[in-house]
Amino acid sequence: MMTLKEEIHRDTDELLLEVLAESAIIAKERILKDKDLSVENVIPLLLLSQYNHIAHLDTELKQGIIDLEQKMDIRFEQVDARFEKMQQQIDVRFEKVDARFEKMDERFVDIHKSISGIHSQISNQTKWMFGMGAGIIAILSGLVTFLKFV
């Protein structure tokens, strides 16, 4: 959608081009028929030529910008693809690291179970040793007491 200013500008350009084209046709006829190569006849032809040249350059510039935008879009898509590929590689690496941590966790759990088992065995052996030591002391003190009376 064009703004009012753009529409007025476009209408003015069209009107100017129509007037210039009519003047150029008249000037061309005068030059061809009357061989009148005056400034008055040459100026409309030069202006129309310059207008057409500028319009052509404007079209080329617009096409160049469109081409540049397309190339930039392609380039950005390539960069996006590279980043996505890198992201996938990073994700794979993190998954490997996570798997390693899971294995380490499993090993720590196994080690903890082993240590708990050893602790339990040591605790039981300590209780038995303490109990046996107390029993031996009780038996020895009973024996000493018995031998004193005998």
Side-chain angles (χ1 to χ4, degrees), residues 14-86:
E14 288 176 5
L15 179 64
L16 179 61
L17 183 58
E18 287 176 20
V19 171
L20 194 55
E22 289 175 17
S23 298
I25 290 170
I26 293 169
K28 185 178 177 183
E29 288 174 0
R30 284 185 193 157
I31 291 172
L32 292 175
K33 284 183 183 176
D34 302 334
K35 307 292 183 203
D36 183 13
L37 196 60
S38 65
V39 172
E40 187 179 293
N41 290 330
V42 172
I43 288 179
L45 292 172
L46 286 173
L47 287 174
L48 183 61
S49 172
Q50 289 302 308
Y51 185 88
N52 287 336
H53 183 65
I54 290 169
H56 175 71
L57 290 176
D58 187 46
T59 302
E60 282 185 11
L61 180 62
K62 286 178 184 176
Q63 186 60 45
I65 290 171
I66 290 170
D67 291 344
L68 180 62
E69 286 175 347
Q70 290 172 346
K71 288 178 183 177
M72 292 296 288
D73 286 344
I74 290 169
R75 187 68 179 140
F76 281 124
E77 287 172 6
Q78 290 172 343
V79 169
D80 280 348
R82 286 177 61 196
F83 277 122
E84 286 178 22
K85 184 178 178 182
M86 288 172 58

Side-chain angles (χ1 to χ4, degrees), residues 59-118:
T59 302
E60 282 185 11
L61 180 62
K62 286 178 184 176
Q63 186 60 45
I65 290 171
I66 290 170
D67 291 344
L68 180 62
E69 286 175 347
Q70 290 172 346
K71 288 178 183 177
M72 292 296 288
D73 286 344
I74 290 169
R75 187 68 179 140
F76 281 124
E77 287 172 6
Q78 290 172 343
V79 169
D80 280 348
R82 286 177 61 196
F83 277 122
E84 286 178 22
K85 184 178 178 182
M86 288 172 58
Q87 180 66 38
Q88 290 171 351
Q89 291 172 343
I90 290 170
D91 288 344
V92 167
R93 288 181 182 171
F94 275 117
E95 287 172 6
K96 288 179 181 178
V97 169
D98 282 344
R100 288 180 184 166
F101 277 119
E102 286 176 12
K103 286 181 182 178
M104 287 175 58
D105 283 345
E106 290 171 5
R107 288 180 185 165
F108 280 130
V109 168
D110 291 343
I111 290 171
H112 183 267
K113 286 179 183 176
S114 295
I115 291 173
S116 294
I118 292 170

